[in-house]
């Protein structure tokens, strides 16, 4: 039996699989399908200091092999999340990562400082890559200097490890990754959605009310694999990989690219049981490899010492 | 715990222009009670579609262990669905959402059901449940043209039916609101499902004492992704169409 546990800053995980932020609410809806304690971790929807209504509808549109979304960070705000959602999650034996967003660095600091004091919050994830809001979001994630400064500021006030969620909508993702590592990030999450658009042939207008949205789903997995492959060789902090994971084989591909853990996003919508079935599938699939622990497979696609055929047994 | 079932397709056939009647068999039928609820189904296996498709429940036959849905072929998902054959299995999540109320009305309440196009199907199960409880049902259904009309006779077995078509090729020429203006004067409660302009026009005429069923592009269908929201009437926030709805009190949400 391969050891499925993975250990990341702040996160002692039973297995490397977690739902991705924004695709799982705060867990309540999916707790009606299975026991959330089965998950390696839970990453909750982005939290901002005040309640946000988000964007007008339509907010989603299917695309070939994926979907576009422009929810616009709708959330009930920091105090409601603290007093309700995060307290509710305490009943499960699972580390919680709180995704954080805001318009200003102070917004990020305020939320990070507050939620990191809760006992079941194991880490925070800085959302500097949301493509669907006018202020903040992606604006912090496309400039290495700004991304580093934000990371430094949050690190000063946050009592749990800080992961930074990177945007693929940049020319050189490695430079952003290096910058946030220098700013003190404990880990990276990558990738967020790719900017995209669909136009309705009947109306001649974009399908999404927001115009553009974030592309996710199976179509973006090769982008995630390539970026994780590149970044993991250039930083020494661990990566939570995400982008188009629909099955155990996809999760394994991200791990081989360089991810230490894997988040499942859009597939939760197609299959509410996506996370537990990927966990089960991964436990089976990994048996083909000559390893004692799944963590040994992280980055095997580029580690020069491991040139042998992987599936030796 | 909620679950998914691979239900058996008994029937999947066209009954009007681009309108298909899909009948499925399986255990999930036992959990289907409220008219106006929907199921979220995978039109095809594999990665041909990323998202499920929400389709309202049209008729529940608990004794036979079957239920029926009607859908209109619009995009890729419904096209794929229309090619599925009897005997195949379909991946179904549901029943989901909050449906129309059928309890708590006084004896022989006069119920006015107003449907437009592909918004008509959930009103059929509603009409069945209301008449089964002794209430009086009058149905007003609107379509573009005679070739689009479906379930007129089925509704007639349950009460009085008015049909409106935009081109006048069947029933009253015009919209459901033209029928209401001309023929409907006495009713106690109304229930409506159809395109937004129709819902707005109905609400403008009949006021807040009714229920509206909303349609919106959905992601997860279970309340997690926040894709399908509508505005609350008192201005403060959003309601989720998939879980708080799709049926709302007319006074509750902005149509």
């Amino acid at each position: 039996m391969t050891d499925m546990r993975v250990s990341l800053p702040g996160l002692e995980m039973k297995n490397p699989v977690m739902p991705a932020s924004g695709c799982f609410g705060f867990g309540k809806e999916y707790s009606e399908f299975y026991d959330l304690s089965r998950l390696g971790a839970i990453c909750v929807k982005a939290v901002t200091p005040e309640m946000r209504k988000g964007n007008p509808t339509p907010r989603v549109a299917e695309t070939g092999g994926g979907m576009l979304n422009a929810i616009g960070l709708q959330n009930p705000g920091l105090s409601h999340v603290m007093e309700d959602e995060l307290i509710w999650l305490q009943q499960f034996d699972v580390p919680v990562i709180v995704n954080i967003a805001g318009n200003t660095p102070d917004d990020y600091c305020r939320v990070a400082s507050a939620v990191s004091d809760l006992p079941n919050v194991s880490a925070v994830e800085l959302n500097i890559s949301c493509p669907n809001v006018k202020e903040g979001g992606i604006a912090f994630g496309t400039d290495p200097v700004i991304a580093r400064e934000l990371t430094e500021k949050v690190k000063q006030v946050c009592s749990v490890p800080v992961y930074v969620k990177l945007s693929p909508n940049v020319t050189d993702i490695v430079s952003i990754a290096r910058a946030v590592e220098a700013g003190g990030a404990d880990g990276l999450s990558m990738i967020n959605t790719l900017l995209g658009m669909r136009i309705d042939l009947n109306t001649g207008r974009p399908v999404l009310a927001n115009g553009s949205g974030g592309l996710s789903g199976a179509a973006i997995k090769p982008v995630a694999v390539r970026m994780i492959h590149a970044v993991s060789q250039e930083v020494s902090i661990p990566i939570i990989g995400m982008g188009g994971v629909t099955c155990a084989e996809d999760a394994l591909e991200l791990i081989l690219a360089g991810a230490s853990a894997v988040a499942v996003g859009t597939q939760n919508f197609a299959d509410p049981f996506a996370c537990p079935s990927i966990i089960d599938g991964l436990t089976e699939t990994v048996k083909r490899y000559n390893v004692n622990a799944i963590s040994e497979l992280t980055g095997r696609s580029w580690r020069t010492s491991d040139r042998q055929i992987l599936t030796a047994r | 715990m909620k679950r998914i079932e691979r239900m058996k397709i008994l029937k999947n056939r066209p009954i009007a222009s681009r309108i298909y009647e899909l009948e499925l068999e399986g255990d999930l039928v036992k959990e289907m009670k409220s008219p106006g609820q929907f199921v979220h189904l995978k039109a095809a296996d594999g990665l041909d579609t990323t998202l499920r498709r929400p389709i309202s429940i049209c008729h529940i036959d608990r004794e036979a262990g079957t239920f029926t849905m009607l859908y209109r072929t619009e995009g890729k998902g419904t096209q794929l669905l229309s090619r599925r054959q009897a005997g195949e299995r379909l991946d179904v999540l549901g029943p989901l959402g909050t449906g129309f109320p059928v309890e708590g009305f006084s004896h022989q309440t006069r119920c006015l059901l107003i449907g437009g196009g592909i918004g008509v199907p959930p009103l059929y199960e509603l009409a069945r449940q209301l008449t089964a409880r002794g209430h009086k049902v009058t149905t007003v259904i609107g379509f573009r043209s005679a070739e689009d009309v479906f379930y007129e006779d089925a509704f007639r077995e349950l009460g009085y039916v008015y049909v409106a078509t935009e081109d006048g090729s069947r029933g009253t020429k015009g919209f459901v609101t033209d029928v209401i203006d001309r023929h409907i004067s006495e009713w106690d409660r109304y229930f409506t499902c159809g395109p937004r302009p129709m819902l707005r026009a109905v609400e403008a005429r009949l006021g807040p004492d009714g229920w509206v069923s909303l349609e919106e592009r959905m992601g997860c269908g279970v309340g997690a992704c926040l894709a399908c929201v509508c505005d609350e009437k008192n201005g403060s926030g959003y309601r989720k169409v998939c879980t708080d709805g799709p049926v709302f009190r007319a006074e509750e949400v902005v149509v």
Side-chain angles (χ1 to χ4, degrees):
Chain A
M1 182 80 183
T2 316
D3 188 349
M4 297 298 286
R5 292 173 298 175
V6 294
S7 182
L8 274 65
L11 306 169
E12 294 302 325
M13 298 167 61
K14 314 176 179 77
N15 61 67
V17 178
M18 69 179 82
S21 178
C23 301
F24 208 72
F26 293 89
K28 276 180 186 158
E29 292 80 12
Y30 289 93
S31 74
E32 294 179 38
F33 291 93
Y34 59 88
D35 179 2
L36 301 185
S37 300
R38 293 195 59 194
L39 298 166
I42 290 180
C43 190
V44 301
K45 187 158 173 58
V47 181
T48 53
E50 312 297 338
M51 181 266 243
R52 285 207 191 183
K53 284 185 71 176
N55 290 324
T57 60
R59 294 174 166 188
V60 293
E62 192 173 85
T63 60
M67 64 173 272
L68 292 166
N69 89 79
I71 308 295
L73 299 182
Q74 181 182 340
N75 79 94
L78 175 61
S79 47
H80 181 271
V81 170
M82 298 262 301
E83 287 154 22
D84 183 326
E85 317 287 355
L86 294 175
I87 301 288
W88 180 84
L89 277 169
Q90 286 178 1
Q91 65 188 290
F92 301 101
D93 173 28
V94 63
V96 173
I97 305 169
V98 178
N99 184 288
I100 292 172
N103 293 345
T104 64
D106 282 349
D107 286 350
Y108 284 86
C109 289
R110 202 177 132 199
V111 179
S113 162
V115 298
S116 66
D117 286 340
L118 289 177
N120 66 325
V121 173
S122 302
V124 299
E125 180 179 74
L126 304 187
N127 184 349
I128 59 167
S129 42
C130 177
N132 299 323
V133 289
K134 287 194 179 65
E135 290 177 87
I138 202 167
F140 290 106
T142 47
D143 181 318
V145 177
I146 294 171
R148 177 179 172 156
E149 283 173 5
L150 179 71
T151 309
E152 284 169 348
K153 282 184 177 143
V154 172
K155 277 297 286 178
Q156 284 168 14
V157 299
C158 183
S159 57
V160 295
V162 175
Y163 291 74
V164 181
K165 187 162 182 176
L166 302 185
S167 172
N169 302 298
V170 294
T171 312
D172 179 15
I173 196 166
V174 171
S175 66
I176 310 277
R178 281 205 190 110
V180 300
E181 183 182 35
D186 297 281
L188 302 171
S189 300
M190 56 189 288
I191 56 174
N192 206 320
T193 55
L194 290 117
L195 273 166
M197 184 184 279
R198 252 191 69 193
I199 291 171
D200 185 323
L201 295 187
N202 293 320
T203 64
R205 305 275 307 149
V207 174
L208 298 176
N210 188 52
S212 64
L215 179 66
S216 63
I220 74 164
K221 192 190 66 178
V223 180
V225 170
R226 200 278 293 181
M227 288 183 160
I228 293 165
H229 183 265
V231 168
S232 60
Q233 297 178 64
E234 300 293 333
V235 298
S236 55
I237 50 178
I239 294 171
I240 300 169
M242 65 205 66
V245 172
T246 66
C247 59
E249 286 75 11
D250 293 343
L252 203 50
E253 203 175 337
L254 265 55
I255 290 170
L256 294 169
S260 297
V262 173
V264 180
T266 301
Q267 187 63 11
N268 290 296
F269 305 157
D271 177 11
F273 296 97
C275 288
S277 59
I278 288 170
I279 292 165
D280 292 342
L282 207 50
T283 309
E284 280 306 305
T285 313
V286 79
K287 285 179 186 164
R288 292 192 284 145
Y289 297 93
N290 219 349
V291 293
N292 296 317
I294 193 164
S295 56
E296 292 172 38
L297 293 174
T298 294
R300 282 285 280 264
S301 59
W302 51 264
R303 269 194 265 143
T304 49
S305 59
D306 296 327
R307 285 254 181 244
Q308 75 272 25
I309 303 286
L310 260 179
T311 51
R313 71 178 181 209
Chain B
M1 288 278 169
K2 281 194 182 138
R3 60 201 180 92
I4 284 173
E5 184 179 355
R6 291 184 64 79
M7 300 182 84
K8 189 174 171 187
I9 301 174
L10 297 184
K11 199 190 318 176
N12 189 21
R13 60 174 186 126
I15 59 164
S17 174
R18 291 162 58 218
I19 303 289
Y20 284 73
E21 186 178 54
L22 171 62
E23 189 183 5
L24 301 182
E25 178 186 60
D27 281 347
L28 280 186
V29 174
K30 289 178 194 147
E31 290 158 41
M32 296 177 182
K33 292 182 182 74
S34 174
Q37 284 191 299
F38 65 97
V39 296
H40 215 23
L41 52 84
K42 278 200 76 117
D45 288 327
L47 297 177
D48 279 341
T49 52
T50 298
L51 297 171
R52 288 171 178 270
R53 298 297 190 272
I55 300 184
S56 61
I57 296 167
C58 172
H59 178 197
I60 306 164
D61 187 340
R62 207 165 295 122
E63 271 177 36
T66 65
F67 80 105
T68 303
M69 292 165 279
L70 305 184
Y71 62 93
R72 184 165 64 203
T73 51
E74 289 280 353
K76 187 176 154 193
T78 43
Q79 297 281 359
L80 285 167
L81 189 59
S82 71
R83 287 183 220 132
R84 303 296 299 266
Q85 303 283 321
E88 291 178 8
R89 300 264 167 183
L90 209 52
D91 185 309
V92 179
L93 164 62
L96 301 173
T98 307
F100 290 105
V102 291
E103 303 289 351
F105 301 136
S106 54
H107 183 60
Q108 293 197 343
T109 293
R110 292 166 300 178
C111 301
L112 178 58
L113 278 52
I114 307 137
I118 201 59
V120 169
L123 300 179
Y124 181 64
E125 179 62 27
L126 175 64
R128 291 181 72 245
Q129 295 201 18
L130 289 170
T131 50
R133 286 166 174 79
H135 302 303
K136 302 282 181 208
V137 169
T138 299
T139 306
V140 182
I141 47 180
F143 302 92
R144 280 194 203 111
S145 184
E147 63 184 22
D148 301 310
V149 178
F150 57 84
Y151 270 44
E152 181 184 350
D153 294 337
F155 277 106
R156 185 156 289 126
E157 287 173 20
L158 301 168
Y160 206 88
V161 182
Y162 295 93
V163 174
T165 52
E166 287 173 35
D167 64 2
S169 54
R170 172 129 198 96
T172 303
K173 184 176 192 310
F175 300 106
V176 290
T177 41
D178 295 314
V179 172
I180 294 170
D181 291 344
R182 228 168 283 172
H183 301 291
I184 309 287
S185 53
E186 295 186 325
W187 52 275
D188 300 310
R189 295 278 190 277
Y190 76 87
F191 308 81
T192 184
C193 183
R196 290 285 174 117
M198 186 203 91
L199 298 181
R200 280 187 211 112
V202 166
E203 198 199 335
R205 273 171 182 72
L206 304 183
D209 205 5
W211 285 266
V212 295
S213 181
L214 301 183
E215 187 180 44
E216 189 55 73
R217 279 174 184 265
M218 282 185 192
C220 67
V222 298
C225 76
L226 308 182
C228 62
V229 293
C230 58
D231 284 300
E232 280 181 328
K233 228 170 211 159
N234 60 25
S236 59
Y238 277 132
R239 306 294 307 276
K240 299 177 188 178
V241 173
C242 64
T243 49
D244 299 327
V247 175
F248 295 93
R249 285 211 51 115
E251 65 198 5
E252 211 179 339
V253 292
V254 178
V255 170

